[in-house]
Structures are given as C-alpha cells and as structure tokens.
Amino acid sequence: MEIQKLLIKFKFQILIVSILSISIIVFINLAPRFLDVVKYFWPLLLSTALFLVAVVVFGWISPPVNEVYSEKTGEGILDFVAGQTDEDLQTHLHDLHEGDEGKEEGGESSRVE
C-alpha cells in the first residue's frame, strides 16, 4: 500500500521523467551520426582550420604594431582629435563670451547657468 501511495504522490514527476527519457531516446535514434556530419561539413572544417593556421603564422611572423611605430598606442589619434592647443581654446572661449554679453543687452541669453 505504501508504494502505491508514493507512486500516486509522485505521478507527475514520474510522467515528466518518462516523457523526457523517451524523447531523448527518439532524438538519439533519429539524429544523424557524428561521422555523417563530419563527412558533410569537411570542406568547411578544413577551410576554417587553414584560416586559423594562417592567422597564427602571420601573427607569429609579423611584428606587433608597437614595435613598428615608435609612438605609444593611441598617441597619434589623440593628437589628431585634440587638434587645438589650450591657447587656441582660451581665445575661442573668450570670443564666445564676448558675443554672449552683446546678446544679453538685447534681452536674450544663450548661456545655461
């Protein structure tokens, strides 16, 4: 009697495990074999392997970028982006400030305070 009560108590868990087991067995029987997949995709696998070998060989043969150029990483792009010196910026800000003072007399201000 105790076993029947336990079976009834766990009937949903037993049902779920049974369905899962049957679906796994069916999937394994219907799925293609591993060697069939390798036979089908061997050109793709071979070309990928050759590409990875070429990347490793070129990485090993060519020197890193830092050894070719004598500048630190990103220094050139920072100089390009910066473009203006502090004196140029101060002059530009001063000119903008003078232009804002003229607008304030007319009643409008473009500055946010």
Side-chain angles (χ1 to χ4, degrees), residues 89-102:
L89 289 175
Q90 291 297 328
T91 306
H92 185 67
L93 286 174
H94 181 68
D95 293 341
L96 286 176
H97 183 66
E98 288 178 354
D100 284 343
E101 287 177 357

Side-chain angles (χ1 to χ4, degrees), residues 42-54:
W42 76 266
L44 178 65
L45 297 172
L46 180 67
S47 65
T48 303
L50 290 176
F51 176 74
L52 291 176
V53 167

Side-chain angles (χ1 to χ4, degrees), residues 6 12 16 20 22 37 43 46 50 52-53 64 67-68 70 75 78 85 87-88 91 93 96 98 102-104 109:
L6 284 175
F12 291 115
I16 290 172
L20 185 65
I22 291 171
V37 174
L46 180 67
L50 290 176
L52 291 176
V53 167
E67 293 178 12
V68 174
S70 62
E75 190 173 306
L78 287 175
T85 61
E87 294 85 24
D88 293 339
T91 306
L93 286 174
L96 286 176
E98 288 178 354
K103 287 183 181 178
E104 284 182 14
S109 176

